[in-house]
Amino acid sequence: MNFPSRLGAALLGLATAAAIGCGSSPAADAPEATGPVVHLVPVPQSIDIFPGALRLSDAVKLESDAAAPHARRALEEALAGSGIGIDDAATTRIRLQLTDDTALGEEGYHLVVADDVQLSARTDVGLLHAVQSLRQLLPAQPQPGYRLPRVAITDAPAYPWRGLSLDVARSFLSVGYLEKTIDRMAFFKLNRLHLHLTDDQGWRIEIGRYPKLTQIGGASAVEGGRSGHYTQAQLRHLVAYAQARGITIVPEIDLPGHVQAALASYNELACDDVENLSPYSGREVGFSVLCLDKPEVVYPFVRHVLEEVLAIFPSREIHIGGDEIEHPLYADFVARAAAMVQGMGRTPIVWEEGSVADTSPDVVLQLWNDNYDIAPAVEEGHPLILSPCSYFYVDHGNYAGQSQTYDWCREEGVPLARLYAFDPAAFGTAIGIEAALWTELVHTDAAADNRLWPRLAASAELAWSPAERRSYEGFRQRMGALRPHMDALGIGYHPEPDLGWADAGARTVPQGAPAGPSSD
Ligand code: ACM
């Protein structure tokens, strides 16, 4: 089905109102072929839909709180994308307002479309989310005389951590691609971009004190992948770019294993008996480790690297890896490295295996194996980021047998419906959800887009929307309708049949636009 057809859109309006359900008014505009539709992802906490519509002319008057510069920029961008200008003489007003409504928390917002449009929140970030909801209500392409549905939305996230982890170490992703990904994440109210900056196949972050880490360690990649590194100036730029869009970048330096690129750069970090100290481009894991028997070498290195990392990234949480290594001194290392991060005023994140270390209960653990016994750590009170691989490892196929995908965690891949069925409430100390894209088999931007979308939108809804508001049927309809927005964002999404996107050739954007589904 080609959703953007008028009849399709009208039907969708009806279906969406039904899908939004839970006390919402019916979409009074739906029977009109030209009536507006309401299709928001993530589905908001509460939405009332009123009769009639606000007809938008070519321009609107914008009023905004000076303390919300990021939301203002985002709104200007959203209006420009819909072909709507800004004019102080315009009759329709859009107002961005900071309020002291504590019930909204740090990220919540109100959005009311009546005779004008009012967005309010306690913070610039809350207003950014309000703007993204408005953007989803606006047309993806200029549409003169567009009729905006009259709605009253009150919204706030279920979980504070709504993330994406990108492995830029196995195969490098450019600054430009990360910027695009940040824009797309913001559209779905995701708020954490975790960069897996180091691994066996590559070291991607410039460290002034250890230049060979990028000279040698940055020059390698997984076979078929891309090498490269980010300068500190580029990373600072990305931090600011993300911050302006409500997203915190969380750096990961993976220690004490997954370090072949570091060992190849500085051989003294290895034990004397290590035979192979050359760069690595294979796909094995668990074979490299810092020489934990040389604490006088290893810990100063770790400290110096972390000092430079923390100077670039202001995030409260700093990821120190800790996965897939067996060593008698492993638990001791994790405890010492975590204490080091805490001593620097930040909160460490460690992959689940780090739960064996003696750390304080505020150390965050990231769950990645479905069957890992995380219950004792939950009992101790460790906050959890949920990334169980059979739901959130999107390097696995969109469908069983998809080429260039892993299946070690789940042979059938991780289809959209599977991911959406995850229940975060089963984990008592969960602070949120993070999908992960590992790049051993993902070597192009097109492949990354294909693996990320639309599954990342489903992950965003799980982390933002309360359980009683979610349903896969509703998600399918709302997300299906957002296809023109996905195209306008230039996303090479997987042509997901569940969303009615299987007609991979039927683009919804004008010829020449940098969009369209990618089927690889
Ligand atoms: C992991 O997948 N090794 C965290």
Side-chain angles (χ1 to χ4, degrees), residues 220-259:
S220 53
V222 75
E223 191 176 356
R226 297 183 291 204
S227 59
H229 73 272
Y230 309 109
T231 65
Q232 295 198 358
Q234 286 175 322
L235 290 168
R236 286 198 168 88
H237 159 77
L238 278 172
V239 165
Y241 187 93
Q243 217 162 32
R245 288 152 182 81
I247 293 170
T248 301
I249 300 189
V250 179
E252 178 186 355
I253 306 297
D254 199 353
L255 302 166
H258 289 268
V259 289

Side-chain angles (χ1 to χ4, degrees), residues 94-237:
I94 301 185
R95 194 154 174 232
L96 288 170
Q97 191 179 24
L98 288 171
T99 68
D100 55 4
D101 182 351
T102 51
L104 291 175
E106 289 301 299
E107 294 192 272
Y109 67 91
H110 292 297
L111 167 59
V112 178
V113 179
D115 291 336
D116 58 14
V117 180
Q118 171 97 20
L119 298 84
S120 54
R122 283 182 66 209
T123 63
D124 198 3
V125 169
L127 283 175
L128 273 169
H129 295 321
V131 169
Q132 296 300 350
S133 289
L134 178 60
R135 190 172 168 197
Q136 292 190 1
L137 296 176
L138 289 167
Q141 301 291 331
Q143 207 170 302
Y146 186 74
R147 299 167 72 245
L148 199 56
R150 289 180 188 265
V151 293
I153 294 171
T154 298
D155 203 7
Y159 290 99
W161 193 284
R162 306 179 304 280
L164 165 64
S165 171
L166 285 180
D167 172 9
V168 295
R170 269 53 176 266
S171 186
F172 187 65
L173 292 165
S174 68
V175 169
Y177 186 76
L178 294 187
E179 286 176 352
K180 274 198 260 186
T181 302
I182 287 165
D183 289 338
R184 298 158 178 184
M185 288 172 68
F187 187 69
F188 292 104
K189 303 184 177 73
L190 291 160
N191 69 350
R192 294 289 187 282
L193 177 58
H194 163 183
L195 293 181
H196 182 77
L197 289 163
T198 67
D199 213 301
D200 290 315
Q201 297 85 348
W203 183 286
R204 308 296 178 213
I205 172 173
E206 175 191 21
I207 300 293
R209 192 165 177 138
Y210 301 105
K212 288 194 290 184
L213 285 172
T214 44
Q215 287 163 4
I216 296 173
S220 53
V222 75
E223 191 176 356
R226 297 183 291 204
S227 59
H229 73 272
Y230 309 109
T231 65
Q232 295 198 358
Q234 286 175 322
L235 290 168
R236 286 198 168 88
H237 159 77

Side-chain angles (χ1 to χ4, degrees), residues 258 323-324 351 368 393 438:
H258 289 268
D323 57 327
E324 294 182 305
W351 292 108
W368 65 277
Y393 271 26
W438 303 99

Side-chain angles (χ1 to χ4, degrees), residues 266-387:
Y266 290 94
N267 295 172
E268 61 271 29
L269 294 170
C271 287
D272 296 338
D273 59 355
V274 172
E275 286 170 18
N276 182 357
L277 291 174
S278 49
Y280 180 71
S281 61
R283 288 194 232 135
E284 297 302 313
V285 295
F287 61 90
S288 66
V289 64
L290 295 174
C291 188
L292 300 180
D293 302 309
K294 295 197 291 190
E296 71 287 1
V297 174
V298 163
Y299 288 102
F301 171 78
V302 171
R303 173 174 294 282
H304 294 146
V305 167
L306 287 175
E307 279 169 357
E308 292 197 32
V309 169
L310 267 59
I312 300 166
F313 296 95
S315 58
R316 188 177 62 192
E317 286 83 8
I318 301 290
H319 206 308
I320 53 173
D323 57 327
E324 294 182 305
I325 202 71
E326 284 183 15
H327 191 286
L329 294 174
Y330 167 79
D332 180 55
F333 175 87
V334 169
R336 285 181 71 168
M340 200 182 280
V341 170
Q342 287 170 315
M344 294 173 176
R346 308 290 183 94
T347 301
I349 307 173
V350 193
W351 292 108
E352 63 195 15
E353 298 99 310
S355 68
V356 301
D358 183 14
T359 62
S360 62
D362 60 329
V363 169
V364 178
L365 296 171
Q366 184 162 9
L367 183 70
W368 65 277
N369 276 296
D370 288 38
N371 299 324
Y372 189 83
D373 182 14
I374 203 70
V378 169
E379 211 138 281
E380 285 171 22
H382 287 281
L384 280 190
I385 297 169
L386 302 174
S387 308

